[in-house]
Amino acid sequence: MAATAAKAAATASKASKTAARSGKAAGATKTASSFSREQELSAYREMLLIRRFEEKAGQMYGMGLIGGFCHLYIGQEAVVVGLQTASREGDQVITGYRDHGHMIAAGMAPRGVMAELTGRRGGYSHGKGGSMHMFSVEKAFYGGHGIVGAQVSLGTGLAFANAYRSDGKVSLTYFGDGAANQGQVYESFNMAALWKLPVVYVIENNKYAMGTSVSRASAQTDFSRRGLSFNIPGEQVDGMDVRAVYAAGQKAIEHARSGKGPYILEMLTYRYRGHSMSDPAKYRSKDEVQKMRTEHDPIEQSRARLLGEHGVSEEELKKIDSEIRDIVNDAADFATNDPEPDPSELWTDILK
């Protein structure tokens, strides 16, 4: 028994090291746009807002103010911020359940998102849905979905509607490395390629899915190649550099919008917390996580560029951080004190 356990531990350690190596930015396309001072400040502010919001959500979950599941986006902020910067107003976003960052990047109010997490009537679904049932047609956000991979077929449906209407919109369909092995993903690829639908499939490869490294779960770990049998082009991107994400996003979105069909972007990224708040993440070492934080953190990279290349002062950045903390604290206060839904809401928004 002891020998078996030791062998299993060694296998897990080897898988963790392999995942860490594959997660280094050096393995991805690093072509990055040169951001102006204003672009860098905007991206920094948006990523920091997502980071502070998620930190507060984790704190509130620990206090028992948020129930159910809570999947945090800490570490992956550059992906959605870079892509939203590259997209146009009206382009749709649909994703899985690690979705708070996507909502905020899409322009949804932190108050409404946090209030939905705490089950209050001021939430985007009136406190009845939580993080997996939040939508905003106004902001073209079509949900974070709890069924693994289900959003891929729905995002392809959004793209079909765009093509049918000839409205020039693109569907940005996000999913993770774990969901990439689901069957409906490839059915969607086939349909999108056949009909040249305007969809960009964004695979957020954070290396561990629900807790198993990609090297142990996937025969093909280069997810940008998953569409080759359908003639869908793909690209690996340094998902920890918001400029690289923006550059790749511009290219992919223009490809889809111009009528050339779907495009796959594999974002090599990394989450610092466990799969959810209930996951202790013992399948990877603390040293691995610390190395990613120290060497590849998207916000710290942006901060360094602001201080160096763009001549922004420490005082300016401190002011931004203070403003964002005020926004997040306001959202938390609202989400704590807003009334719960009236019991009559149990009978509303029910579809037969």
Side-chain angles (χ1 to χ4, degrees), residues 1-333:
M1 291 290 287
T4 302
K7 184 177 180 181
T11 301
S13 176
K14 182 179 179 182
S16 176
K17 291 176 182 177
T18 302
R21 286 196 298 271
S22 68
K24 290 182 179 179
T29 301
K30 290 180 69 68
T31 304
S33 295
S34 295
F35 273 8
S36 67
R37 186 179 189 274
E38 290 69 29
Q39 285 177 308
E40 193 76 69
L41 275 170
S42 177
Y44 176 78
R45 178 184 291 273
E46 201 71 11
M47 290 191 293
L48 192 60
L49 176 58
I50 294 171
R51 176 73 59 89
R52 296 290 181 253
F53 181 95
E54 292 291 65
E55 289 171 348
K56 178 62 73 172
Q59 179 184 0
M60 293 175 72
Y61 183 91
M63 295 167 64
L65 296 171
I66 295 175
F69 298 100
C70 187
H71 303 83
L72 303 181
Y73 201 61
I74 296 174
Q76 300 183 212
E77 297 90 351
V79 176
V80 72
V81 171
L83 284 169
Q84 283 302 108
T85 305
S87 67
R88 290 184 194 169
E89 185 177 354
D91 290 341
Q92 302 110 333
V93 173
I94 189 168
T95 185
Y97 39 72
R98 195 179 309 281
D99 56 356
H100 312 151
H102 300 75
M103 298 180 214
I104 291 171
M108 294 169 67
R111 269 190 167 202
V113 177
M114 194 70 86
E116 187 59 40
L117 296 179
T118 58
R120 305 305 171 112
R121 65 178 63 176
Y124 271 97
S125 295
H126 309 299
K128 299 188 294 181
S131 62
M132 297 187 197
H133 302 90
M134 236 182 293
F135 302 83
S136 175
V137 175
E138 177 193 1
K139 300 298 183 181
F141 179 77
Y142 288 86
H145 296 262
I147 299 175
V148 177
Q151 73 273 20
V152 180
S153 53
L154 297 176
T156 305
L158 290 171
F160 177 80
N162 296 339
Y164 185 82
R165 295 168 180 153
S166 299
D167 57 18
K169 297 176 182 178
V170 173
S171 169
L172 300 178
T173 300
Y174 294 80
F175 55 106
D177 47 289
N181 294 321
Q182 294 290 313
Q184 66 265 39
V185 171
Y186 300 96
E187 294 172 356
S188 299
F189 284 179
N190 187 56
M191 180 181 292
L194 271 174
W195 295 340
K196 295 191 180 302
L197 301 182
V199 54
V200 176
Y201 295 111
V202 185
I203 304 176
E204 298 193 72
N205 181 1
N206 61 29
K207 314 297 177 292
Y208 288 100
M210 194 177 236
T212 303
S213 72
V214 293
S215 62
R216 298 180 66 192
S218 298
Q220 171 57 275
T221 57
D222 182 345
F223 292 94
S224 69
R225 298 172 57 84
R226 290 294 183 96
L228 287 182
S229 61
F230 306 100
N231 296 316
I232 301 176
E235 180 179 351
Q236 276 190 331
V237 183
D238 179 2
M240 305 299 274
D241 185 341
V242 68
R243 303 167 307 162
V245 174
Y246 172 71
Q250 282 189 308
K251 175 182 174 182
I253 291 170
E254 176 55 30
H255 176 97
R257 202 185 310 277
S258 65
K260 296 177 182 177
Y263 202 98
I264 293 173
L265 291 176
E266 180 192 359
M267 296 293 170
L268 294 177
T269 185
Y270 197 86
R271 56 173 166 79
Y272 299 156
R273 302 290 184 92
H275 173 71
S276 69
M277 285 295 294
S278 60
D279 172 20
K282 293 182 178 179
Y283 40 80
R284 58 185 182 178
S285 69
K286 292 181 179 179
D287 289 343
E288 178 188 315
V289 178
Q290 186 57 40
K291 183 177 177 63
M292 291 299 295
R293 275 186 176 272
T294 303
E295 298 180 8
H296 300 295
D297 185 79
I299 298 174
E300 288 303 315
Q301 289 187 64
S302 181
R303 185 176 187 277
R305 289 193 296 269
L306 286 168
L307 292 170
E309 298 171 25
H310 300 294
V312 178
S313 67
E314 286 276 6
E315 289 70 28
E316 287 178 88
L317 295 184
K318 287 180 180 178
K319 182 180 179 182
I320 290 172
D321 189 47
S322 177
E323 291 170 353
I324 285 173
R325 288 183 187 276
D326 287 345
I327 292 170
V328 171
N329 287 334
D330 172 74
D333 290 343

